[in-house]
Amino acid sequence: MAATYVTEAELRSNLGIGSLYTSGTIEEICQTAEDLINKYLWFNDAPVIGTSLSNNTASVVLANPGIFVVGQSIVIADSGATYNGTYTLTGAFPGSTVPATIGTALFTQLQFSNYPTGYSIIQYAKTASDDPFHFIKPYGSARGPEFKTTSYALTPAVRESAMIIAVDIFQSRQVSQTGGVGMDGITASPYRLGFQLINRIRGMLQPYASPNTLVG
């Protein structure tokens, strides 16, 4: 899927590079900028920390105390080819009776007796071979429907942030040691893609940032 926060045509125009460089290269830069920014934005999602499959029923463990309900359509991503995709939930705990397919071993391993420590389990139908419970690292994601009226692709602050990141990535491909400068004028990192990369756009993203990114 093509990037939408900053498109290939927009980046080419801003950089003044016309038809130079392949479409794959420019699109990859746009998608990288979008992926980075998405890690800071607020979505209706939760981290996937573990998965299992038994009797054609997938069980997905979330690091979130129950934000999805039975009948809801969600998108599982970055959790392995067997589990990735769009599904309708057939089970959720807490919130419904614990299905037998989850198994007591899983509850013991995750110490659900300590709930609400932050875990929940969702289930959906999936025709595939049985797969024993295993952790997902780095975490995957489970995303439910969005209810806000304006997408981030139409939010000016997000689009401008994506353009800034994309330009920095492109320029770093040409000259790696083009340093990022902090607000106090000090070059905190000798590289444009150092930790100052996101810091330069945090002000624009702040109104849309997930509270999870404000910790630490």
Side-chain angles (χ1 to χ4, degrees):
M1 182 181 298
T4 56
Y5 294 176
V6 54
T7 66
E8 178 186 344
E10 289 169 340
L11 183 57
R12 286 185 184 277
S13 175
N14 190 32
L15 292 170
I17 58 176
S19 60
L20 296 175
Y21 303 95
T22 66
S23 180
T25 296
I26 303 303
E27 177 59 37
E28 187 174 70
I29 292 173
C30 294
Q31 191 62 62
T32 298
E34 184 167 318
D35 291 345
L36 287 173
I37 288 175
N38 276 340
K39 297 297 183 181
Y40 294 86
L41 298 178
W42 203 353
F43 295 99
N44 181 26
D45 63 358
V48 172
I49 68 169
T51 56
S52 67
L53 198 149
S54 176
N55 297 324
N56 293 327
T57 297
S59 298
V60 176
V61 182
L62 308 178
N64 193 293
I67 65 172
F68 301 128
V69 297
V70 173
Q72 198 168 27
S73 178
I74 65 167
V75 178
I76 303 293
D78 301 322
S79 301
T82 300
Y83 301 91
N84 291 344
T86 302
Y87 304 97
T88 299
L89 297 187
T90 59
F93 175 84
S96 65
T97 303
V98 182
T101 48
I102 289 180
T104 56
L106 176 56
F107 275 77
T108 300
Q109 187 166 6
L110 292 174
Q111 297 180 339
F112 267 87
S113 59
N114 294 330
Y115 182 83
T117 54
Y119 293 125
S120 61
I121 295 176
I122 56 175
Q123 289 191 310
Y124 52 85
K126 180 67 178 183
T127 302
S129 301
D130 285 2
D131 185 29
F133 173 78
H134 55 276
F135 288 103
I136 302 295
K137 295 182 179 181
Y139 293 160
S141 69
R143 181 175 297 180
E146 304 294 341
F147 299 102
K148 60 193 190 64
T149 57
T150 303
S151 71
Y152 289 129
L154 299 177
T155 303
V158 173
R159 287 175 48 78
E160 290 297 327
S161 297
M163 178 63 79
I164 291 170
I165 295 296
V167 168
D168 274 357
I169 293 173
F170 176 85
Q171 293 181 342
S172 294
R173 290 173 61 95
Q174 318 310 312
V175 182
S176 61
Q177 292 191 6
T178 48
V181 178
M183 291 184 294
D184 56 0
I186 302 300
T187 302
S189 168
Y191 300 105
R192 184 179 293 273
L193 301 187
F195 67 87
Q196 291 287 349
L197 176 69
I198 296 297
N199 286 345
R200 290 199 295 278
I201 61 170
R202 276 186 179 272
M204 287 193 292
L205 292 182
Q206 202 70 21
Y208 315 98
S210 166
N212 295 329
T213 67
L214 307 178
V215 178

